[in-house]
């Protein structure tokens, strides 16, 4: 029996099983078994199956990376051409783009790499239409644009989400607040710090036993689902912000446009007419959460033209120094900071000080 057939059998059994307290442990065990089989599908045993394929291994450049994911002929190549000025073959037939086409834009001082990925089809996570290579590149992105045709958005959106979820990508979600640690002895120690709607000690033990884990500490610091616990145990999930771009808005009415604007994480655009690109770039900046830090050489004005862009949330002075050069911290004495992260300007701070967007930093080195 193939892995796909085993997955289908487990999904059929889950559909037949009633959801209640008595079956919660059994369903949790089935979900864990399903996650293990899907992992086998992503990374087959034996390490064979060839490489990523020509055109998919694009070198990462710039401060952030954005991937365009969608079905064939929804306007991804037109969007890249008009946003970045890069030629990506455009035609009226499907599967025009067969490899990853990169482009770069500069916005608010940050260099952002754009990747036009080949169109995916249903079953991509199982390897159809080179889907594994496409989704593997999407895993490395800082943000994902899911490009949809505005005339048939909902069906396409659900299929693409299912394909990405099946490959371990979690869209617009945060990692679950679960403390999980394996140990040598002592059994499974389960503790819930808030009331749980789905998980209990017995269910957690059944899920862990499916992974042959019999000694571990599990502390739930929020109301968590079975899937979130499995994600934590698997440890190979990536949490990526995502914007749904509803393209070809020149084909719908103003009333329909108003409804689209109210849907969370959605943005209507027209790649061909270049409509709403300003909103698109502003929303992208908001989702990337990049932090710009301006350098100030001693006795000179701050350099506002080329900021140091940090991708990390709550970056410290040490992160800023390491981004410039990893040897800078060896002779670090303190830093002078101007901006919203300090009480007065300038303020002398240590390496652990947290910086805010558009702070100005001058590093003082030991003599």
């Amino acid at each position: 029996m193939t892995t796909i057939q085993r997955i289908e059998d487990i999904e059929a059994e889950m559909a037949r099983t009633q959801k209640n307290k008595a079956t919660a442990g059994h369903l949790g065990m089935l979900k864990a078994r399903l996650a293990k089989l899907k992992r086998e599908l992503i990374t087959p045993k034996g390490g064979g199956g060839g490489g990523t394929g020509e055109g998919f291994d694009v070198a990462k450049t710039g401060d952030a990376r954005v991937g365009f994911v969608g079905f064939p002929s929804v306007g991804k190549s037109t969007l890249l051409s008009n946003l970045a000025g890069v030629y990506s073959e455009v035609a009226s037939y499907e599967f025009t783009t067969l490899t990853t086409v990169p482009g770069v834009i500069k916005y608010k001082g940050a260099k952002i790499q754009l990747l036009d990925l080949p169109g995916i089809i249903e079953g991509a996570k199982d390897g159809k239409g080179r889907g594994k290579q496409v989704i593997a590149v999407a895993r490395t992105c800082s943000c994902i644009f899911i490009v949809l045709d505005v005339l048939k958005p909902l069906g396409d959106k659900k299929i693409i989400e299912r394909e990405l979820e099946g490959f371990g990508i979690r869209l617009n979600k945060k990692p679950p607040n679960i403390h999980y640690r394996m140990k040598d002895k002592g059994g499974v120690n389960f503790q819930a710090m808030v009331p749980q709607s789905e998980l209990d000690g017995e269910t957690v033990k059944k899920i862990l036993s499916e992974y042959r884990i019999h000694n571990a500490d599990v502390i739930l610091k929020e109301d968590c689902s079975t899937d979130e616990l499995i994600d934590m145990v698997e440890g190979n999930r990536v949490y990526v912000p995502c914007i749904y771009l509803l393209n070809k808005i020149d084909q719908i009415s103003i009333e329909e446009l108003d409804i689209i604007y109210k849907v969370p994480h959605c943005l209507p655009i027209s790649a061909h007419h270049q409509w709403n690109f300003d909103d698109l770039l502003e929303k992208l900046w908001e989702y990337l959460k990049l932090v710009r830090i301006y350098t100030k050489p001693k006795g000179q004005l701050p350099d506002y033209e080329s900021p140091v862009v940090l991708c990390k949330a709550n970056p410290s002075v040490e992160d800023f120094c390491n981004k410039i050069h990893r040897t800078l911290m060896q002779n670090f004495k303190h830093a002078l900071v101007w901006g919203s992260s300090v009480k007065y300007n300038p303020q002398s701070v240590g390496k652990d000080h947290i910086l805010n967007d558009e702070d100005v930093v001058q590093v003082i080195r030991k003599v």
Side-chain angles (χ1 to χ4, degrees):
M1 189 183 284
T2 64
T3 307
I4 294 172
Q5 285 172 330
R6 286 160 69 194
I7 286 172
E8 286 170 356
D9 288 349
I10 292 172
E11 284 175 343
E13 189 179 342
M14 285 170 64
R16 286 196 305 269
T17 308
Q18 286 188 343
K19 286 186 181 179
N20 53 50
K21 283 187 177 179
T23 60
H26 178 62
L27 281 169
M29 197 171 64
L30 289 175
K31 283 182 178 178
R33 202 169 291 169
L34 194 64
K36 281 168 66 182
L37 289 170
K38 284 182 176 176
R39 186 183 356 121
E40 278 181 33
L41 212 59
I42 296 167
T43 52
K45 288 177 182 175
T52 54
E54 187 189 341
F56 287 88
D57 46 352
V58 176
K60 197 169 185 177
T61 60
D63 302 303
R65 182 182 240 198
V66 180
F68 298 177
V69 177
F71 283 112
S73 294
V74 291
K76 298 188 298 297
S77 299
T78 309
L79 180 62
L80 179 74
S81 300
N82 289 337
L83 261 182
V86 175
Y87 177 71
S88 180
E89 194 175 343
V90 178
S92 57
Y93 54 85
E94 296 190 343
F95 298 106
T96 317
T97 306
L98 298 174
T99 59
T100 302
V101 181
V104 176
I105 57 168
K106 197 165 183 182
Y107 186 67
K108 292 188 176 180
K111 285 182 181 176
I112 301 168
Q113 184 183 40
L114 306 177
L115 298 179
D116 175 19
L117 301 172
I120 64 171
I121 57 173
E122 195 169 358
K125 66 180 186 297
D126 304 328
K128 289 183 184 175
R130 298 183 85 182
K132 280 187 184 179
Q133 292 97 320
V134 175
I135 301 176
V137 176
R139 277 179 69 98
T140 66
C141 294
S142 318
C143 181
I144 291 174
F145 282 169
I146 292 184
V147 187
L148 303 165
D149 190 328
V150 77
L151 299 176
K152 45 178 181 179
L154 284 176
D156 290 358
K157 177 175 177 278
K158 285 179 181 174
I159 293 167
I160 292 170
E161 281 176 343
R162 191 165 62 242
E163 299 302 320
L164 296 178
E165 289 266 336
F167 218 79
I169 298 173
R170 300 291 175 259
L171 302 173
N172 294 324
K173 290 181 183 175
K174 290 181 180 177
N177 196 357
I178 299 174
H179 171 76
Y180 166 73
R181 183 174 67 88
M182 290 174 64
K183 53 187 183 180
D184 296 329
K185 56 186 178 180
V188 175
N189 177 28
F190 170 74
Q191 186 181 350
M193 299 182 77
V194 294
Q196 298 293 315
S197 58
E198 200 171 317
L199 290 170
D200 56 27
E202 198 59 40
T203 308
V204 169
K205 283 178 183 176
K206 282 191 175 180
I207 291 169
L208 293 179
S209 69
E210 188 60 39
Y211 288 94
R212 296 180 184 174
I213 298 169
H214 304 291
N215 301 293
D217 288 332
V218 179
I219 302 171
L220 307 181
K221 298 180 181 179
E222 62 183 12
D223 187 8
C224 299
S225 67
T226 310
D227 293 323
E228 287 174 331
L229 177 63
I230 291 167
D231 286 351
M232 182 58 67
V233 176
E234 284 279 339
N236 62 350
R237 308 301 192 230
V238 290
Y239 296 84
V240 185
C242 169
I243 303 171
Y244 301 94
L245 301 182
L246 299 177
N247 192 21
K248 307 178 185 177
I249 55 169
D250 48 313
Q251 299 176 12
I252 61 169
S253 64
I254 296 291
E255 290 78 12
E256 289 170 312
L257 201 59
D258 288 338
I259 294 167
I260 291 168
Y261 254 111
K262 292 173 185 173
V263 180
H265 309 299
C266 284
L267 191 74
I269 62 160
S270 173
H272 180 68
H273 296 288
Q274 301 186 24
W275 292 349
N276 217 16
F277 276 16
D278 291 343
D279 272 10
L280 169 61
L281 292 172
E282 197 56 48
K283 204 173 183 79
L284 173 62
W285 183 262
E286 180 192 326
Y287 276 56
L288 287 174
K289 293 179 181 170
L290 298 176
V291 177
R292 294 160 294 172
I293 308 297
Y294 301 112
T295 56
K296 184 187 181 303
K298 194 172 180 180
Q300 297 178 34
L301 290 171
D303 180 11
Y304 291 113
E305 293 300 315
S306 50
V308 176
V309 181
L310 303 172
C311 311
K312 191 178 170 186
N314 301 321
S316 64
V317 172
E318 187 174 5
D319 295 325
F320 164 76
C321 292
N322 288 335
K323 181 73 186 271
I324 295 172
H325 201 277
R326 60 181 179 274
T327 60
L328 198 57
M329 284 305 297
Q330 292 173 6
N331 299 317
F332 178 84
K333 186 179 180 185
H334 64 267
L336 296 175
V337 177
W338 292 256
S340 59
S341 70
V342 290
K343 290 182 180 177
Y344 48 89
N345 295 312
Q347 185 172 326
S348 177
V349 299
K351 65 184 177 72
D352 297 323
H353 175 76
I354 301 300
L355 298 167
N356 288 349
D357 189 31
E358 295 196 285
D359 277 359
V360 175
V361 177
Q362 180 181 326
V363 176
I364 309 297
R365 302 173 75 179
K366 293 174 188 172
V367 179

